[in-house]
Amino acid sequence: MEEEFSLDDPTQLLDSASEFAHRPGALNDAAVKDFLGRFPLPVIISALQTKADVPGLENILVACLERVFKTKYGTSLVPQYMPFVQVGLKADSQIVRCLSCKTVLSFLENFDDKSLSAIKLIIDYDIYPLLLDCLINGNEQVATTAIDAIKNLAQFPEAMGIIFPSNINEATHLGNVASRCSSLGRVRVLSLIVKLFSISNSIASVIYNSNLLSLLEADIRNSNDTLVTLSALELLYELTEIQHGAEFLARTTLQLLHSIISNSSMESILRSRAMMISGRLLSKENIYMFVDEPSAKSLISAIDVRLGLLDAQDADECESALEALGGIGSSIQGAVLLLTSFPPAARHIVHAAFDRQGGGKQLAALHALGNIVGENRPEDSIILNGGAEESLRRLIYEVASESTKLTPSGLFLSVLQQAAEFRLAGYRVITGLVARVWCLMEICSKPEIISIVTDPTTETAKIGMEGRYKCCKAIHRSFMSNKLVSNPALSGIAGKLQEAVERGPYLVRKHTEATPVVMTAERF
């Protein structure tokens, strides 16, 4: 049998494997069986181990085996070749290590032999510690594939004891793994923790109770290495995007973010990122089930104070702060806190939103104001409580009275006369604000505003057309619900709004009939 599997001349294997690896479309089990009938797996694996010096052979065989193990038939062969997978995970070659990680991933995803336990095979061949080694010491592609394999492993209930050993002194305990590797390896371990956290509420609970999130917090508090802190903040940002993460993050994260934002000696980029994370976290409606109001107010106050200290040279940090407040204001509770704090943190947003010299700062403020006034909330959640509404109205009228425009309608028109990106943000502000009667009356007092939002030629980009139309519909809806249609003085506005709503968002050229043209015939 040994001679049957020997390959003194690998040319035939190289040619056939290349054709197989580059065959278009998905491969079925029949194609894999046919190929392995001509070149059994032991032959391919032997060539991979002994003929790696043949130019191009390693890459071709790896690509070939990857396609084999992605099929159901290929997956069924993995248990009997697990020793080779084990060797592959230890290989010096990065592409072989990556192949081995992908093979484990495919095996966990597709193996359906009820007579064998996939997890028992993983344990018997000590695969998990090897995956961790690939995560820490492999190149970027190997590390990413190792994370995917471990994440898939974690979805097996029987694997929880492997990934989260009860003995904290276990070598594979993620806390111990993180403590003994390089800064890059530590970031990768933290990334794995975040990915595992995202799987389910139950796994997130295990991670929280295992105190693994404290590893992330420790790196965020690390004032000696800005890159390490920034990497940890990026992972924390990922955590805030996880739906079930609010319950666990709320317990310790707000205080940590507050300390970074309030620290003037910190790098500006770190404060900016901390503010963005705060905005993302407090934008979630369910966060206020786990966060007490004083903690939320304290965090908002930290951003408020920071905004008051920033000058023209800190444009990026200022925009981050405004965007963070806008994120907070997208939820009802957040918007109320921004408007009812003393002094209201929303004042920064309103002032910046109508400063035509503000550039990116004005644009960020307009979108933030759009969030606060409810443009992205359901219709029945746009209006806030009495105190918040009165604060909002007062802030806008104060800014108007201090400007050359004198009225809110003048401010709105000024924004709609700016460049397309500012108009889009302005549409968002009006879409939310016009649900208030006082704003509706301001809009109706400026025919120029009505002309802009009802004119299908105002915008040329699709996003602009849709923003204008949404704004037009919001004005029309508020107009009708407040029964202004019966007001003779506003009948012209009613007609323009109705026609614009019926026309739709996009510019449609009117159909013109062909007409005969009479002209003198040309003579030669």
Side-chain angles (χ1 to χ4, degrees):
M1 288 295 286
E2 277 298 316
E3 289 186 9
E4 182 183 346
F5 292 150
S6 66
L7 274 175
D8 295 328
D9 181 10
T11 306
Q12 186 182 358
L13 173 60
L14 181 61
D15 292 341
S16 297
S18 179
E19 185 277 328
F20 181 84
H22 296 102
R23 194 176 297 176
L27 295 177
N28 57 29
D29 286 351
V32 174
K33 287 179 181 178
D34 176 67
F35 179 75
L36 294 182
R38 290 182 290 129
F39 300 97
L41 269 178
V43 172
I44 301 172
I45 292 171
S46 175
L48 192 59
Q49 292 174 326
T50 62
K51 303 289 183 179
D53 56 331
V54 177
L57 182 68
E58 185 178 66
N59 288 329
I60 289 298
L61 293 185
V62 164
C64 172
L65 289 172
E66 187 176 325
R67 297 199 76 179
V68 166
F69 291 127
K70 277 185 177 178
T71 64
K72 188 174 181 180
Y73 176 69
T75 300
S76 71
L77 300 176
V78 173
Q80 56 190 295
Y81 290 98
M82 197 61 88
F84 295 106
V85 174
Q86 187 182 46
V87 170
L89 290 170
K90 302 175 188 176
D92 293 331
S93 166
Q94 294 295 320
I95 64 169
V96 172
R97 293 186 100 182
C98 191
L99 167 67
S100 301
C101 290
K102 287 179 179 179
T103 303
V104 174
L105 177 60
S106 295
F107 171 66
L108 293 170
E109 285 179 337
N110 304 313
F111 188 66
D112 59 2
D113 187 343
K114 305 302 180 187
S115 65
L116 289 172
S117 166
I119 302 305
K120 186 175 186 304
L121 285 169
I122 295 292
I123 295 171
D124 289 347
Y125 288 95
D126 214 23
I127 297 297
Y128 178 63
L130 297 177
L131 289 174
L132 284 178
D133 184 68
C134 287
L135 166 69
I136 296 164
N137 298 312
N139 63 18
E140 187 174 347
Q141 189 178 9
V142 171
T144 300
T145 312
I147 285 179
D148 290 340
I150 295 171
K151 184 179 176 182
N152 204 282
L153 178 64
Q155 297 182 56
F156 288 80
E158 314 96 281
M160 294 302 287
I162 305 172
I163 300 173
F164 305 108
S166 55
N167 181 2
I168 61 172
N169 296 316
E170 190 79 39
T172 56
H173 188 284
L174 292 177
N176 296 328
V177 175
S179 68
R180 64 174 183 264
C181 58
S182 66
S183 57
L184 174 60
R186 184 178 174 87
V187 168
R188 288 177 174 180
V189 172
L190 292 176
S191 181
L192 170 63
I193 291 171
V194 171
K195 293 292 189 296
L196 294 174
F197 189 95
S198 70
I199 295 174
S200 68
N201 190 74
S202 59
I203 292 180
S205 182
V206 171
I207 289 172
Y208 181 82
N209 292 329
S210 300
N211 208 29
L212 290 174
L213 291 183
S214 64
L215 300 175
L216 193 60
E217 292 173 12
D219 276 10
I220 292 173
R221 296 182 194 277
N222 180 2
S223 58
N224 299 321
D225 192 329
T226 299
L227 286 178
V228 168
T229 305
L230 187 59
S231 296
L233 283 171
E234 291 299 328
L235 291 172
L236 181 57
Y237 189 82
E238 279 188 47
L239 280 176
T240 62
E241 293 182 307
I242 299 168
Q243 189 59 37
H244 56 260
E247 175 185 353
F248 304 98
L249 297 178
R251 299 173 189 174
T252 56
T253 306
L254 295 192
Q255 186 178 356
L256 177 59
L257 293 171
H258 183 284
S259 66
I260 295 172
I261 295 166
S262 304
N263 189 346
S264 297
S265 63
M266 275 272 191
E267 294 278 351
S268 176
I269 191 173
L270 299 180
R271 283 194 303 270
S272 294
R273 208 64 187 137
M275 286 189 277
M276 294 297 290
I277 294 168
S278 303
R280 175 59 63 93
L281 194 57
L282 293 181
S283 71
K284 298 179 180 297
E285 293 288 357
N286 70 332
I287 190 70
Y288 296 94
M289 296 168 57
F290 312 107
V291 172
D292 58 283
E293 190 171 298
S295 297
K297 281 184 173 180
S298 178
L299 190 55
I300 291 170
S301 176
I303 300 173
D304 180 13
V305 169
R306 189 65 203 162
L307 264 172
L309 296 174
L310 296 172
D311 55 33
Q313 278 69 48
D314 302 305
D316 290 343
E317 189 175 346
C318 185
E319 288 175 30
S320 295
L322 291 169
E323 192 174 334
L325 292 180
I328 295 169
S330 62
S331 70
I332 295 174
Q333 296 96 322
V336 169
L337 289 176
L338 292 177
L339 289 162
T340 58
S341 55
F342 184 79
R347 72 191 185 282
H348 296 290
I349 293 171
V350 179
H351 280 86
F354 301 107
D355 176 10
R356 292 193 62 153
Q357 307 306 314
K361 180 180 174 182
Q362 183 195 7
L363 189 60
L366 282 167
H367 281 296
L369 184 56
N371 287 350
I372 290 172
V373 301
E375 185 272 342
N376 57 349
R377 294 196 294 268
E379 275 186 54
D380 59 354
S381 302
I382 292 177
I383 304 296
L384 307 170
N385 64 32
E389 285 295 330
E390 177 55 31
S391 175
L392 174 63
R393 191 185 71 82
R394 186 173 60 252
L395 284 172
I396 291 177
Y397 273 98
E398 280 178 3
V399 171
S401 67
E402 294 167 2
S403 74
T404 57
K405 306 302 177 184
L406 299 179
T407 63
S409 58
L411 295 178
F412 303 149
L413 179 59
S414 175
V415 171
L416 296 183
Q417 290 172 334
Q418 291 180 244
E421 57 184 347
F422 291 90
R423 290 199 304 274
L424 179 61
Y427 294 141
R428 291 192 65 230
V429 171
I430 296 173
T431 298
L433 265 181
V434 79
R436 287 90 176 162
V437 177
W438 63 264
C439 178
L440 175 62
M441 299 311 296
E442 288 284 345
I443 297 295
C444 291
S445 72
K446 275 276 191 245
E448 299 96 321
I449 295 178
I450 300 298
S451 295
I452 290 172
V453 300
T454 58
D455 184 357
T457 65
T458 301
E459 304 297 335
T460 55
K462 182 175 183 287
I463 189 172
M465 295 177 186
E466 291 172 349
R468 178 199 62 78
Y469 182 66
K470 184 178 180 182
C471 180
C472 181
K473 283 204 305 181
I475 297 171
H476 180 258
R477 182 168 55 248
S478 183
F479 194 91
M480 299 303 287
S481 64
N482 286 288
K483 300 182 173 58
L484 296 186
V485 70
S486 59
N487 187 333
L490 302 175
S491 59
I493 292 176
K496 290 184 76 169
L497 289 170
Q498 182 65 38
E499 183 183 345
V501 168
E502 291 175 354
R503 188 188 301 120
Y506 310 114
L507 174 60
V508 179
R509 298 187 184 278
K510 291 184 177 179
H511 178 69
T512 55
E513 295 290 340
T515 55
V517 177
V518 179
M519 61 173 57
T520 305
E522 292 184 6
R523 298 182 182 277
F524 297 95

